Each structure stands twice: as C-alpha cells, then as structure tokens.
Amino acid sequence: MPSSQPLVLTELADSTRAAAEAFIAAGTAANTVRSYQSALTYWSAWLRLRYRRSLGDGALPPEVAVQFIVDHLARPDTSGNWTHLLPPAVDAALVEAKIKGKPGPLSFSTVSHRLAVLAKWHRLRNWDNPSEAPAVKTLLREARKAQARQGVSVRKKTAVVLEPLQAMLATCTDGVRGTRDRALLLLAWSGGGRRRSEIVGLQIGDLRRLDADTWLYALGTTKTDSSGVRREKPLQGPAAQALNAWLAVAPACEGPLFRRLYKGGRVAASGLSGDQVARIVKRRAAMAGLDGDWAAHSLRSGFVTEAGRQGVPLGEVMAMTEHRSVSTVMGYFQAGSLLDSQASQLLSSTPLDAVPPGERTAAAPHTAQEC
C-alpha cells in the first residue's frame, strides 16, 4: 500500500547525493549528472511511496522495474481510453513534492531514461541490474509497440536546415544582441552542429585565427569525448565573418566566448547558460515567423539534415559533429538526403498532365475498385 507520509525534499536530496557523487567520480559530464540526479530523486520518491524503502537499501528486483513501467506508461484499455497503474494518491504526492511536473503518465523516453539511470546506478555498485531482466526488456519493447500502434510517436525538435537558418539570421539586425546571436547561430550550425553545452563552454582561448575568413575553435571534454584532448574544428566564410564582428564589439582576452548582455547592449563578463542558448534559437525563430518546435538541438539536427541534403559524406559529417553512433545520426542524415533524391520527385520529373490518358491507365493496372 502507498505510504501516507508526505515526502520531505531535504531527505530525498540526502538519499540521492551519494549517487550524484558516484557519477561525478566516474567522470560523467555535468549536464548528464544533473539529469541522473533528477532521475534518481524520482526513483527515491517513488520507491518510498510505493514500497516504503530507500534507494540505497540494496539491488532492486526486476518486479520493481516492471511495476515502474506499468505505473508510468499509458496503454489503451478495452474501452479505448488510456490508463496507467500509478495510484492517484502516489501521483498527487509526487506532484505536491515537486518531484513530478503534473499528474498522469510519463513519456516513453522519460521512462526509458530513468530505467537506464537505474541500470547504471546498479552497475556502479556491482548489483544485479533489474533493467536487464528478460521480463523488463520484453515489457518495455511491447509497450513501445503498443504506443506506436496507437499513434504515439517520439517528438523531435524541428531541424534548422538552410532556409530557416537564413530566415533567423535575417532577424539579427538589432545591434550588439543581433551581432552576438548571428555569431552564435552560425558557429553552432556551420561549426558542426554544436550542442548547447559545447556552445556555452567555448572560451576566448579556444579560438585560433588562420586568416580573415578562417578560424579554428577547440573542443575539450564533451558529452561523447571525455578524454580532455583538444580537437580543433574549422569555421569559415560567413560564420568566420560573424565571429569577427562579435569579437569586434565584445573584445576580450579571456573568459566565455558568448556572454550575456545588459540593457543597452552592454556586454557582461559572465557567459550564457544552456537555457539561454535555447531561448535565443526560439526567439529568432519567432521573429522570423517560423512554425515549428524549435530548441538548441534544432541547430545540431539541422546541420546533419542539411549535410545529407547537400550530399556531404557521412564520415565527414560525423567528424564535425563527433557523433559516436551511426544509428543516432543516420535518421537526420537520411531525411536530408531524401529531400533532393530523384526517388522523392518522380512526379515532378514527369507531370501527369503531360502523359496521355491512355498511357496513364496502362502504367497503373490496379484500379480503385481493386484496391
């Protein structure tokens, strides 16, 4: 039975601090640590309410992971409605404690992420991993199929391909802010589809100028490369010129490359946050009148999509983006490649009104009645 005792946030923070410290000691990126800590805080709260136990009491059995899935993933019932098994009292307690944003089921990606964090938490302690149990893996796979059959799909951010990028850049005419935003958008996009954590992490000392139209910027530790080895990426043409303009209005010998602005266009010494990068992308898209679900990741996905569209070899794209997984990058790359493929433009190459009616019938032997 669910516990009736209220959740105490300070106690939950204490119960997950050790987990966060373990991830930090393992060399995990700071942004990832924050997402892990959020997931473990949720696990701690849910376990206390559902089972009256603490996260660190020992390895969790597969049955607990199964219960977590059916508690949080919605599934269609016999009446055509969607249901999940999380008791309303537990749901309300999680929301009241600000562990959960709103009542109701969680998305498949959120549940999958929290199971992955639980798996890593167990591996760090050399405990049996409940997420690897056949029953858990099968249930998760079938749950995804069930949601897909009901039209529930994973929503991706809108990719900034060339045309929306140009529209966003056209709005960057508002003084110092426009100069900064133009340089940021072009470096993030042309420089290999940089993540927002990489953008805000760039320092003045990471830049090396080759000529008036070419810069190199160095990446250190990133989400997919924690070796600490500096890898230089090129920045050329309009992107290099935009960077020149930003450095001219905001000269500095050290510190963050992209900094905050005060009213009146005065440049602060402090750098941007990842959330501010996302807001810049959304603001410029809104100013350009662009429809879509825009975010900082739109620049990364847009770079890959546009590269596929222009026929850039996949290996060169991955050298710029530093994707480690081909499967991760291929979805965007293939979508871009198909945009200009002849296979997607068969009708445009032979207009229907140019084909004699008799030939149209011969070329289409199946009639509507047969279908």
Side-chain angles (χ1 to χ4, degrees), residues 213-255:
D213 289 321
T214 308
W215 285 87
L216 295 177
Y217 69 90
L219 293 173
T221 299
T222 63
K223 180 179 179 180
T224 54
D225 193 316
S226 57
S227 66
V229 176
R230 289 164 62 87
R231 290 96 56 214
E232 289 188 318
K233 309 293 180 184
L235 203 64
Q236 298 177 301
Q241 295 161 11
L243 181 58
N244 291 339
W246 167 239
L247 293 174
V249 300
C253 296
E254 60 182 14

Side-chain angles (χ1 to χ4, degrees), residues 110-367:
T110 299
V111 172
S112 297
H113 175 260
R114 288 179 180 167
L115 287 167
V117 172
L118 184 73
K120 186 162 187 176
W121 163 252
H122 278 67
R123 286 196 298 270
L124 287 173
R125 278 153 181 71
N126 293 317
W127 291 341
D128 290 339
N129 179 7
S131 299
E132 287 298 317
V136 176
K137 296 173 75 171
T138 299
L139 175 60
L140 199 61
R141 182 173 62 250
E142 294 303 316
R144 185 167 195 168
K145 289 180 183 177
Q147 292 202 343
R149 283 194 293 268
Q150 296 297 322
V152 179
S153 60
V154 177
R155 186 181 68 178
K156 292 187 176 182
K157 299 300 180 182
T158 309
V160 178
V161 291
L162 185 59
E163 291 81 5
L165 176 67
Q166 292 171 330
M168 290 182 186
L169 295 175
T171 70
C172 297
T173 56
D174 46 347
V176 176
R177 188 175 302 276
T179 302
R180 181 201 63 185
D181 291 359
R182 181 180 180 84
L184 186 151
L185 291 171
L186 281 169
L187 185 147
W189 196 88
S190 299
R194 301 272 63 90
R195 302 178 181 92
R196 62 181 181 176
S197 59
E198 296 166 0
I199 297 169
V200 301
L202 282 174
Q203 304 290 303
I204 296 292
D206 295 328
L207 301 174
R208 185 159 66 93
R209 188 171 184 173
L210 296 186
D211 56 49
D213 289 321
T214 308
W215 285 87
L216 295 177
Y217 69 90
L219 293 173
T221 299
T222 63
K223 180 179 179 180
T224 54
D225 193 316
S226 57
S227 66
V229 176
R230 289 164 62 87
R231 290 96 56 214
E232 289 188 318
K233 309 293 180 184
L235 203 64
Q236 298 177 301
Q241 295 161 11
L243 181 58
N244 291 339
W246 167 239
L247 293 174
V249 300
C253 296
E254 60 182 14
L257 174 58
F258 294 112
R259 283 162 280 163
R260 303 182 184 190
L261 297 177
Y262 296 119
K263 289 183 178 180
R266 188 163 60 91
V267 182
S270 56
L272 295 171
S273 67
D275 287 342
Q276 287 172 319
V277 172
R279 286 198 290 270
I280 287 171
V281 175
K282 292 180 180 179
R283 177 171 177 264
R284 293 298 170 181
M287 292 175 67
L290 299 173
D291 293 328
D293 188 9
W294 308 99
H297 188 73
S298 297
L299 298 170
R300 186 165 176 81
S301 60
F303 172 82
V304 176
T305 304
E306 185 63 35
R309 190 179 176 186
Q310 296 192 25
V312 180
L314 180 62
E316 294 181 18
V317 175
M318 293 182 68
M320 288 290 288
T321 64
E322 297 197 342
H323 276 100
R324 290 294 183 86
S325 168
V326 174
S327 61
T328 300
V329 73
M330 276 304 291
Y332 292 111
F333 187 80
Q334 288 178 334
S337 299
L338 291 173
L339 283 172
D340 293 324
S341 167
Q342 288 186 341
S344 66
Q345 303 177 45
L346 297 180
L347 288 178
S348 61
S349 62
T350 307
L352 282 178
D353 56 7
V355 180
E359 293 184 19
R360 289 184 219 167
T361 304
H366 296 291
T367 66

